Amino acid sequence: DRGPGTRPSRPRVLSVAGTDPTGGAGIQADLKSFAAHGAYGMAVTTALVAQNTHGVRSVHVPGPAFLREQLDAVSDDVEIDAVKIGMVADEANAREIGAWLDALAAARSDAAVPRPWVVLDPVMVATSGHRLLDPGAEQAVRDLAARADVVTPNLPELAVLAGRDVATTWDDALAQAGSYATACGTVVLLKGGHLTGATSPDALVVPAGPSSDGVPTVTTFDAERVDTPHTHGTGCSLSAALAALRPRRESWEDAAREAKEWLTGALRGGAALRVGTGRGPVDH
Ligand code: PLP
């Protein structure tokens, strides 16, 4: 249905993630972020999370078989333009999502229909300290990252992906992202929010290749650091925005710049929302 004159009016974008019943993070945040960027949002649940603005109470994982049924139900019927993968919860889920991506790529390999853009937010630990990924699932998430087009780690997540110590300066983090991107063959959108300073930079790090003389290409997006406790769902919203924007932008660079500018506004708006008495959500 992508022939002339039949282009869809909106990109069809799927979130594969966990839930937040208070609407700040996870699937609920992703769907709001998709809508804010004009995409048609869809969602497959990896894990049901009982949480609010104070933290995570418990996590229920329906398991890989039902996860695959949800994924196939969408892809058997809908041409997906982009996928955002967030909290996968455990190794079995991560491997199932990888197998589904492989099946989708194989089905579309001949194809008039291109495979979807894939953004992986390697969610590991909530800001409240609650683990959202089994420690035993880290290798499976590395394998998933190698299948994604873009991975969006913060500094601690990058360290886990790269199997290195957490970088303590922005320059060290950029170097770590460059060697990781090149080894893995995946673009990295590195999020600098964990550092301190007047600005909160992100950087798009593109793997080294023949066209870059073997050196990774780094584009930095600077933004003011918004001084707010209301950062719940920041990472979810950014990666969802990136997936929603990419089908209608020329490059990851264009999509990432726009997503970052939008997120800075969403962070500024968080305080006025009055959602919960803890660390409230950004205004997606
Ligand atoms: N809950 C879910 C389902 C998530 O996917 C995430 C992060 O990606 C979080 C919570 C973490 O939220 P935060 O650390 O922003 O509070």
Side-chain angles (χ1 to χ4, degrees):
D1 63 356
R2 288 194 191 181
T6 59
R7 278 172 57 94
S9 57
R10 298 169 184 270
R12 297 148 296 187
V13 186
L14 174 67
S15 165
V16 182
T19 63
D20 175 3
T22 58
I27 274 179
Q28 286 83 348
D30 292 348
L31 289 172
K32 294 175 202 181
S33 178
F34 292 164
H37 293 93
Y40 177 83
M42 304 176 282
V44 161
T45 308
T46 55
L48 298 152
V49 184
Q51 63 172 320
N52 60 23
T53 63
H54 293 276
V56 173
R57 296 182 177 187
S58 64
V59 177
H60 172 65
V61 181
F66 186 65
L67 173 61
R68 186 60 181 264
E69 285 192 49
Q70 296 178 77
L71 290 166
D72 287 340
V74 178
S75 59
D76 286 349
D77 188 30
V78 182
E79 282 178 18
I80 305 165
D81 296 302
V83 180
K84 173 253 157 97
I85 303 166
M87 173 185 179
V88 298
D90 63 19
E91 178 177 0
N93 271 356
R95 301 251 176 250
E96 199 61 53
I97 295 165
W100 174 75
L101 285 175
D102 289 348
L104 206 57
R108 292 187 177 189
S109 62
D110 52 348
V113 181
R115 70 172 193 85
W117 303 105
V118 179
V119 175
L120 174 70
D121 181 4
V123 175
M124 295 180 188
V125 184
T127 310
S128 58
H130 199 104
R131 284 205 69 102
L132 299 173
L133 180 74
D134 274 358
E138 285 169 0
Q139 186 54 44
V141 172
R142 285 187 202 104
D143 295 346
L144 211 45
R147 288 183 176 86
D149 296 299
V150 180
V151 58
T152 64
N154 56 32
L155 269 57
E157 291 162 351
L158 174 65
V160 171
L161 291 174
R164 305 265 297 274
D165 290 337
V166 181
T168 52
T169 68
W170 182 238
D171 284 347
D172 286 352
L174 287 176
Q176 202 175 88
S179 45
Y180 170 73
T182 301
C184 172
T186 302
V187 174
V188 174
L189 179 62
L190 177 65
K191 301 178 293 191
H194 280 65
L195 294 167
T196 52
T199 63
S200 176
D202 288 351
L204 194 74
V205 182
V206 177
S211 65
S212 66
D213 289 332
V215 180
T217 312
V218 177
T219 309
T220 302
F221 309 110
D222 252 324
E224 60 162 308
R225 176 173 298 277
V226 182
D227 184 18
T228 175
H230 303 300
T231 59
H232 182 47
T234 310
C236 305
S237 303
L238 181 73
S239 55
L242 195 60
L245 285 164
R246 183 63 185 90
R248 293 197 289 195
R249 295 295 177 273
E250 285 297 313
S251 64
W252 287 113
E253 187 181 325
D254 288 353
R257 179 176 292 106
E258 198 169 328
K260 168 82 167 165
E261 281 169 12
W262 169 80
L263 188 71
T264 302
L267 276 161
R268 273 197 221 104
L273 283 176
R274 305 276 186 276
V275 172
T277 54
R279 212 170 48 81
V282 301
D283 189 8
H284 353 65

